[in-house]
Amino acid sequence: MTPQNAAVVGHPIGHTMSPFIQERLFALSGIPVRYRVIDVPDLAKAFPQLLRELDCFNVTIPYKSELLDYVHTSSLWARTCGSANTVKVDHDGPEGDFSYADTTDGPGAALSLSHHGLDLNRELVILGHGGAAKAIAFEAAKRPGFRLTFVHREGSGHNAMYQAGMLADCARGQGDKDFRVKVMSYQELEADLGGRYELLVNATSVGMHPHPDACPVSEQVIARSQAVFDVVYNPRETLLLKRARQLGVQAVGGMGMLVCQAAYSHKIWYGTEFNPQDLLQLIEDAEAELARKFG
């Protein structure tokens, strides 16, 4: 097979784990690749050249939403949640280079959770309403009768309500009449002393390197949860995960989601399915590589 030109695109993008993960995935699939890291200060200006130079690429912060403005077409779920992170390029399109975008964050989160005996078909509390939060929420909305609460910072309730409305419209469009989607502030979450949550999801950057001493919620909220899932993967054990484990609450870190969403991008690009054991080994190796890089 002709070597593929692939990359991860974002800004800033100095400490990405994508090359380590993607090169291993390409090796597992037997596809030769040149995988690069491309710092793009202006996606609009860079996009035509990206299409000429690359066969496929991943997109990260801050372009997951903006990307949809430049691709030729995208999946229904990417358009619905307003976020995409994976682009496939067809250099033999009828009018030249043709781009298709999709989102792998939701499927990646679901696959990662499945490795720990968890799923999204439960009482979900999602902290945040950005790209990762939306992707996970809309993945949950594929399941009939989903139950989900968005938690928002002070002053951003309008945005959270808008996302909740979109989820509700999506569910009704699928004929789902038994779903429940709510919105509450962090203050309301902390005060909800009778609340019990099957899965608490941190879809914010709170606790991420270089600020690992931050935790998005109190120990009281963590203790009311059966399990905690933190999309942050650096550090390996965030303060949220550490406190959850100290309280006897099942805790799942973000490296599994990072690896699984990367693996799902290969399904979009080439139809590749990976052995679960290979992915578990890659998650372990990626965590070791992260520790080596950051100490």
Side-chain angles (χ1 to χ4, degrees):
M1 183 177 182
T2 303
Q4 298 293 283
N5 289 302
V8 58
V9 173
H11 180 74
I13 198 168
H15 298 102
T16 178
M17 287 291 294
S18 288
F20 179 87
I21 294 169
Q22 288 290 8
E23 286 170 5
R24 283 281 298 273
L25 290 170
F26 274 103
L28 285 170
S29 65
I31 298 173
V33 67
R34 180 188 178 216
Y35 194 91
R36 293 183 284 159
V37 175
I38 304 178
D39 192 308
V40 174
D42 189 323
L43 185 62
K45 291 182 179 179
F47 198 75
Q49 184 174 350
L50 293 175
L51 294 191
R52 289 192 298 269
E53 294 183 357
L54 301 173
D55 299 301
C56 55
F57 56 99
N58 303 112
V59 176
T60 186
I61 295 171
Y63 296 131
K64 289 185 179 183
S65 295
E66 184 181 342
L67 174 65
L68 293 171
D69 294 334
Y70 306 118
V71 294
H72 294 93
T73 188
S74 56
S75 72
L76 171 62
W77 284 105
R79 295 192 301 274
T80 301
C81 69
S83 176
N85 65 350
T86 301
V87 178
K88 179 178 181 179
V89 182
D90 180 4
H91 295 295
D92 299 316
E95 299 180 5
D97 299 323
F98 185 84
S99 55
Y100 166 81
D102 206 341
T103 176
T104 66
D105 281 339
L111 182 57
S112 175
L113 287 168
S114 72
H115 291 155
H116 298 271
L118 298 169
D119 57 52
L120 295 173
N121 190 19
R122 57 188 60 229
E123 185 77 40
L124 286 179
V125 174
I126 300 182
L127 309 178
H129 48 86
K134 288 187 289 186
I136 293 171
F138 278 97
E139 184 69 19
K142 295 178 182 178
R143 294 149 177 81
F146 71 95
R147 295 154 291 158
L148 184 151
T149 300
F150 278 119
V151 181
H152 64 86
R153 299 187 310 273
E154 185 177 354
S156 62
H158 177 76
N159 290 334
M161 287 294 294
Y162 176 74
Q163 295 300 331
M166 289 185 64
L167 272 178
D169 289 343
C170 176
R172 294 188 191 100
Q174 297 181 110
D176 188 352
K177 298 181 180 179
D178 299 322
F179 70 92
R180 186 178 78 244
V181 56
K182 301 191 299 183
V183 171
M184 67 169 60
S185 67
Y186 279 92
Q187 291 86 346
E188 290 170 324
L189 177 67
E190 294 288 348
D192 184 24
L193 300 181
R196 294 293 181 269
Y197 322 116
E198 292 181 301
L199 182 60
L200 176 70
V201 179
N202 177 35
T204 76
S205 61
V206 176
M208 182 186 294
H209 175 85
H211 303 291
D213 296 328
C215 187
V217 293
S218 69
E219 291 188 3
Q220 287 73 25
V221 172
I222 299 169
R224 298 199 293 268
S225 308
Q226 292 181 15
V228 169
F229 174 42
D230 197 337
V231 303
V232 172
Y233 65 86
N234 185 11
R236 175 181 181 179
E237 184 178 63
T238 61
L239 186 55
L240 173 63
L241 297 179
K242 181 178 181 179
R243 288 179 174 174
R245 291 178 178 126
Q246 290 172 342
L247 291 166
V249 175
Q250 184 177 1
V252 179
M255 185 60 77
M257 176 177 167
L258 185 68
V259 169
C260 290
Q261 63 86 17
Y264 199 85
S265 68
H266 285 249
K267 184 175 183 179
I268 295 167
W269 294 334
Y270 309 107
T272 306
E273 301 272 3
F274 292 97
N275 184 305
Q277 290 305 314
D278 287 336
L279 293 183
L280 289 172
Q281 184 62 57
L282 179 51
I283 292 168
E284 183 178 323
D285 293 346
E287 288 179 335
E289 175 66 9
L290 183 71
R292 185 192 69 78
K293 289 178 67 174
F294 292 93

